[in-house]
Amino acid sequence: MDITKAERAAIKQELVKIVGDRWVSDDVEVLSNYGRDMTENEPNRPDFVVLPDTVDHIQRIVKLANEKKIPLIPYVAGANVGGLTIPTDLGGVTVDMKRMNRVIELNKKDKYIVIEPGFTFGHLRRLFDTEIPEFRYSFPFAPPFTSVLTNALLHGLGSLSVLYGSADQFINGLEAVLPTGEIVNVGNQAVNKQAVWYGRAPMPELCGLFIGFQGTTGIVTKISIQLMDRPPILRHFALIPEDPYDFLENFVHDLVKLGVCDEIGIGYFPAKVGRNIVPDDMIDLMGRMMHYLRFQKKTSFVKRMWPLLKLITGGKPFPLVKKMAPLLKMGKSDDDQAWLIAGITIGAHDEKIFKAKLNAMRKLCGKAKPPLLLLPTQDFGDLQKVFMSILDLPTQLPALYDLKAGGGLSWVGSYVPSSRVHVGMRKGEEIHKKNKFFPVIVMRPHKQDHYWVLRFILAFDRRSKDETALARKTLQELAAVILDDCQGVPYKPAGWAVEMIRERADPVSMDLIKRVKDFMDPNHIMNPGRAEYK
């Protein structure tokens, strides 16, 4: 902020009055940590960091910012991988809400939970495991310290997306502090004065004023999310297609239509992504087996032999497969070659229903051409952790951080039409290879195949200016594939991606977004530089 030392000292003193001396910092090291993330986005420090603990704290901070025209940057974990919490050159105050991590209400009868911004997916997982095992929620492909509230507001993907869609679909209602300092309720709890946070209809749909706006229209302080019934039986399988492109273009849509899957998570990545999760010799075996199935066209042979291998080995066939690899003349691709693995979860309330669902899926897989392999994940032994990484959420993603020295990690995620996801994967892989990056692509069908998530993850050496610049160029090329070849739209978009969207979009629609932001935040203090559709 362009202010004098005296003005800076006065602002700090005002913040200390609100939250206490312990929870305000202008230490350079602290500010530096809040002014960067693991992505290609340039770092920039805030002027202050403040950690409120109550809605009253936030309200007073916002009123102060409005009076002094101070930019505010809402922050929880900084794990959005899009530079969305890095301040602009204007600086400002980063409002870190990790202290606000409480469960305000758990309503089992009406199946919802009201939480604060600092409540994470790690907290939610522990709550399910210890107090409410009869329920479940849609977990993202993200670390456990990710905010549940933020994920919902930013259209996050999740494990139950094939049934319910993106995370914003789970929102019943919310409470927010407007940029003017007023507190507003959006949803039916606005009528019953927060007695029951049970839904949004039939009230006018005002949640859209906060969903997707990247914290530029207010600070959401409470949110009600729906809890879904958890079937007593949940069993996991892996699908390995011989032809990944045909699988995405044809088979997987028939699988969704079959209606037997609670989860479908698809990963396209090299075997080396499993490094530091399982031993190196098993990573080598995984690469050889994938090469054997896809390029040596041995899927049908393995399907015939697998039951016998399980019988001989007592249900643990992979050590024997490892010994047989030279005899079977299993080849090997280079370390950057990606393989497609689909993780499938079948849920049921009793064994009879489960067996009926499994038989229906086996029948569909049996007719598949080109062939594919359907295996329970426990068949993979030591490799089970790799195959489960796209289903066992939240995830720490340790292998992606370690694959490139320098610790750079970024992505461009998107929602695309179901009919175009195979186009995006093929062209995205070509761009990765052209620019010397290995592909890591995450895909999930949403809301019964109405749309898909298509996310390209990029590991790079952030210490290298040249490689960081190449990563930035690669991400922009991938975004162009999403927008132009897939007719999709990036989600949680960084500033450069917002600009690419705006260039292609209906100008009247973009102007309406700008007018909404101007109306909600007349002094432009809320997370400036984000969601700038103008």
Side-chain angles (χ1 to χ4, degrees), residues 14 30 42 92 129 138 144 195 298 301 342 442:
E14 289 294 328
V30 173
E42 293 293 334
D129 291 344
S138 196
K298 295 294 186 179
F301 170 72
V442 175

Side-chain angles (χ1 to χ4, degrees), residues 280-426:
D280 285 350
D281 61 334
M282 297 305 292
I283 295 298
D284 179 75
L285 176 61
M286 178 180 170
R288 290 185 182 279
M289 183 170 177
M290 292 299 190
H291 182 95
Y292 193 64
L293 297 174
R294 179 174 173 184
F295 294 123
Q296 294 180 246
K297 306 297 183 184
K298 295 294 186 179
T299 305
S300 295
F301 170 72
V302 173
K303 282 178 69 174
R304 293 194 301 270
M305 294 296 296
W306 201 258
L308 178 60
L309 292 173
K310 288 182 66 174
L311 182 64
I312 293 172
T313 61
K316 297 180 179 180
F318 263 84
L320 180 58
V321 172
K322 180 182 176 182
K323 292 179 180 179
M324 293 174 60
L327 180 65
L328 295 172
K329 297 181 179 180
M330 286 186 174
K332 186 181 179 184
S333 301
D334 66 71
D335 283 350
D336 287 349
Q337 176 59 53
W339 314 105
L340 190 142
I341 303 167
I344 306 296
T345 299
I346 297 178
H349 288 279
D350 59 48
E351 285 291 339
K352 183 177 180 181
I353 295 173
F354 169 75
K355 288 178 181 178
K357 288 184 174 183
L358 179 57
N359 288 336
M361 187 162 71
R362 282 175 171 163
K363 185 176 179 181
L364 181 67
C365 292
K367 296 187 296 184
K369 291 183 181 179
L372 49 80
L373 197 60
L374 171 67
L375 300 174
T377 54
Q378 61 263 28
D379 282 10
F380 292 94
D382 289 341
L383 285 172
Q384 185 176 7
K385 292 180 180 178
V386 179
F387 288 94
M388 283 298 296
S389 65
I390 52 178
L391 290 176
D392 189 14
L393 303 173
T395 179
Q396 289 284 9
L397 303 179
L400 297 181
Y401 296 128
D402 295 339
L403 280 172
K404 278 278 189 176
L409 187 70
S410 192
W411 55 257
V412 55
S414 66
Y415 289 119
V416 302
S418 300
S419 60
R420 306 288 181 93
V421 66
H422 67 286
V423 175
M425 192 190 86
R426 186 188 292 272

